[in-house]
Amino acid sequence: MEAYERLLKYARIYTPSDEKSDTVPSSFCQFDLAHTLVRELKEMGVADAQADDKCYVYAKLPATAGLESRPCLGFIAHMDTVSDFCDHPAHPMVHRNYDGGELPLGESGRTLSPKMFPHLEKLKGQTLITTDGTTILGADDKAGIAEIITMTEQILRDRIPHGPLAIAFTPDEEIGLGPRYFDVEKFGADFAYTLDGSTEGEIQYENFNACSAVFDIRGVNIHPGASKDIMVNAALVAMEINSLLPSGETPRDTEGYQGFYHLTHMEGDVAHAVLHYIVRDHDAAGFARRQEKLREITAAINEKWGLGTVSLKIQDGYRNMAEVIQNGNMHLIQNARTACETAGVPALVLPIRGGTDGARLSFMGLPCPNLGTGGQGCHGPYEHITSESMEICTRIALELVKIYAQ
């Protein structure tokens, strides 16, 4: 079975994680995919495949005879999708010999267009996979899963020599909890790659330092006709807080290594308002400065409007894995470059403007950079991928297996 055929199957399995849930996993529908993957791995001959009670899938391929001393190489992808544009199962659509132009997405009224995604013109003649425009596709990260399992099938079918291999599929990555109960010792790899990027040939080991920040604003509400010098409008204070952040440092205005403040949600009225932000920066010192800026704003607002008007809660997320990869693990990047070249695709060593399971796993003792899967436009109804890009990503992973068997 080709990788894209597996994606079509996995995409139809409903697996959004739920950031408001306190269960593990956050949504039990993720078990549907976990059990499907275990069954599929066992059917192709991977006897050591299992899903634990927290919805982590682990599998191992013993080394080819004579290669037992090679390092154990791992591959990881996540099973959950975002909940945005995911209130019902996806309906993948296959567009063979895509013409590179505008493409209506079913009856949704949405159109996948080169005006929004200029790279579409380069996909002319390929087999393009989308949804009907009412949901995400779920290529993030079911494409990574499909590529890992297809690679595994090829290794077993063609008896490709390999060292010890470890495979894992995680839940709840999209809500930042993928590594929470990941058992590094049970996984057993010396190092690994997540397949959770976009363009084929991407190699990423520099990710954002990340945190969330919540401003809780308490106002003073009184009849507006008698509010002179008394009312403190929490909604207006919220607007003031946002205005004190540096202009031009939002996701829309930044790229590459540039960090940002991102207002993700706001609610409130005169008496009470709340601002939810995520804060990102590749540079540790820059990240610390951003957090300090939030504290300075809090202090300034309380000095102006009264102590207790606003409180700030900062919760750290993940750190930049470059700190780990650059400390004796750059062979992972060098070998990934070689694998891309052998697979006939340019190596694109780029910073991640986000994070992956590998960011936390790297600090848990498992160096784990990220590779592209071929998916584009993730987290929205315009998500798409081609069968050709998935084939290339599968080939890159397979080349890495061969390199670490040498």
Side-chain angles (χ1 to χ4, degrees), residues 160-197:
I160 297 172
H162 61 87
L165 298 177
I167 294 169
F169 303 123
T170 63
D172 291 340
E173 189 271 353
E174 294 292 2
I175 58 174
L177 299 176
R180 178 169 52 168
Y181 294 105
F182 190 95
D183 191 332
V184 173
E185 184 176 354
K186 181 177 181 178
F187 184 55
D190 295 293
F191 31 77
Y193 294 92
T194 52
L195 271 69
D196 190 20

Side-chain angles (χ1 to χ4, degrees), residues 359-381:
R360 285 189 178 177
L361 291 173
S362 291
F363 287 96
M364 292 167 60
L366 180 67
C368 193
N370 187 46
L371 303 176
T373 65
Q376 302 285 350
C378 64
H379 292 200

Side-chain angles (χ1 to χ4, degrees), residues 170-226:
T170 63
D172 291 340
E173 189 271 353
E174 294 292 2
I175 58 174
L177 299 176
R180 178 169 52 168
Y181 294 105
F182 190 95
D183 191 332
V184 173
E185 184 176 354
K186 181 177 181 178
F187 184 55
D190 295 293
F191 31 77
Y193 294 92
T194 52
L195 271 69
D196 190 20
S198 53
T199 306
E200 56 271 28
E202 276 187 352
I203 305 166
Q204 299 169 317
Y205 69 96
E206 299 173 281
N207 60 276
F208 279 136
N209 295 288
C211 72
S212 63
V214 178
F215 289 97
D216 192 285
I217 305 147
R218 300 286 173 175
V220 177
N221 197 0
I222 190 171
H223 190 288

Side-chain angles (χ1 to χ4, degrees), residues 267-294:
E267 55 192 80
D269 51 28
V270 175
H272 182 224
V274 183
L275 296 173
H276 298 262
Y277 290 86
I278 61 172
V279 182
R280 303 289 189 264
D281 204 303
H282 279 89
D283 178 69
F287 183 60
R289 287 193 294 270
R290 290 183 184 281
Q291 292 183 326
E292 183 58 31
K293 179 65 176 179
L294 300 178

Side-chain angles (χ1 to χ4, degrees), residues 220-257:
V220 177
N221 197 0
I222 190 171
H223 190 288
S227 64
K228 173 68 173 173
D229 296 329
I230 300 174
M231 177 183 286
V232 177
N233 189 324
L236 290 177
V237 173
M239 295 169 63
E240 183 178 356
I241 288 172
N242 191 70
S243 73
L244 293 174
L245 290 170
S247 61
E249 294 189 17
T250 68
R252 178 184 175 87
D253 301 308
T254 54
E255 61 184 354
Y257 289 95

Side-chain angles (χ1 to χ4, degrees), residues 16-340:
S17 47
D18 181 2
E19 65 181 354
K20 297 179 181 178
S21 170
D22 58 3
T23 64
V24 180
S26 67
S27 58
F28 287 102
C29 59
Q30 295 178 68
F31 274 112
D32 294 338
L33 181 54
H35 293 148
T36 296
L37 298 174
V38 170
R39 185 167 56 251
E40 189 171 348
L41 285 165
K42 286 186 174 181
E43 287 174 353
M44 67 174 62
V46 182
D48 187 6
Q50 58 182 288
D52 68 12
D53 61 348
K54 294 181 173 59
C55 203
Y56 289 77
V57 174
Y58 300 98
K60 290 184 179 179
L61 275 71
T64 302
L67 298 178
E68 295 88 350
S69 64
R70 301 297 188 269
C72 183
L73 177 63
F75 293 94
I76 302 169
H78 66 87
M79 297 177 288
D80 65 315
T81 70
V82 291
S83 56
D84 296 338
F85 285 97
C86 197
D87 59 356
H88 61 275
H91 300 286
M93 301 180 70
V94 179
H95 313 272
R96 301 187 187 280
N97 197 26
Y98 168 58
D99 66 7
E102 294 194 346
L103 181 66
L105 298 177
E107 302 298 323
S108 67
R110 295 187 172 93
T111 299
L112 186 65
S113 171
K115 293 179 181 178
M116 185 181 297
F117 300 101
H119 71 268
L120 286 169
E121 295 177 350
K122 300 178 181 178
L123 304 183
K124 183 177 181 179
Q126 296 190 31
T127 297
L128 183 67
I129 303 167
T130 69
T131 66
D132 60 4
T134 64
T135 68
I136 57 170
L137 175 60
D140 179 13
D141 186 28
K142 293 171 183 176
I145 296 172
E147 290 157 4
I148 291 170
I149 290 190
T150 302
M151 173 201 71
T152 303
E153 182 181 54
Q154 291 176 3
I155 290 171
L156 295 171
R157 181 193 64 208
D158 300 336
R159 299 179 182 274
I160 297 172
H162 61 87
L165 298 177
I167 294 169
F169 303 123
T170 63
D172 291 340
E173 189 271 353
E174 294 292 2
I175 58 174
L177 299 176
R180 178 169 52 168
Y181 294 105
F182 190 95
D183 191 332
V184 173
E185 184 176 354
K186 181 177 181 178
F187 184 55
D190 295 293
F191 31 77
Y193 294 92
T194 52
L195 271 69
D196 190 20
S198 53
T199 306
E200 56 271 28
E202 276 187 352
I203 305 166
Q204 299 169 317
Y205 69 96
E206 299 173 281
N207 60 276
F208 279 136
N209 295 288
C211 72
S212 63
V214 178
F215 289 97
D216 192 285
I217 305 147
R218 300 286 173 175
V220 177
N221 197 0
I222 190 171
H223 190 288
S227 64
K228 173 68 173 173
D229 296 329
I230 300 174
M231 177 183 286
V232 177
N233 189 324
L236 290 177
V237 173
M239 295 169 63
E240 183 178 356
I241 288 172
N242 191 70
S243 73
L244 293 174
L245 290 170
S247 61
E249 294 189 17
T250 68
R252 178 184 175 87
D253 301 308
T254 54
E255 61 184 354
Y257 289 95
Q258 297 172 325
F260 58 72
Y261 304 90
H262 179 33
L263 177 61
T264 60
H265 179 68
M266 59 188 297
E267 55 192 80
D269 51 28
V270 175
H272 182 224
V274 183
L275 296 173
H276 298 262
Y277 290 86
I278 61 172
V279 182
R280 303 289 189 264
D281 204 303
H282 279 89
D283 178 69
F287 183 60
R289 287 193 294 270
R290 290 183 184 281
Q291 292 183 326
E292 183 58 31
K293 179 65 176 179
L294 300 178
R295 297 186 184 97
E296 290 173 358
I297 290 173
T298 300
I301 291 294
N302 281 329
E303 182 177 356
K304 178 177 180 179
W305 294 108
L307 188 64
T309 299
V310 59
S311 62
L312 171 66
K313 181 180 179 181
I314 296 175
Q315 182 171 336
D316 286 324
Y318 45 83
R319 291 160 59 189
N320 188 345
M321 75 173 95
E323 181 180 333
V324 174
I325 304 301
Q326 291 173 342
N327 186 22
N329 293 295
M330 285 301 289
H331 63 91
L332 291 163
I333 309 308
Q334 295 157 0
N335 288 333
R337 283 180 177 272
T338 300
C340 289

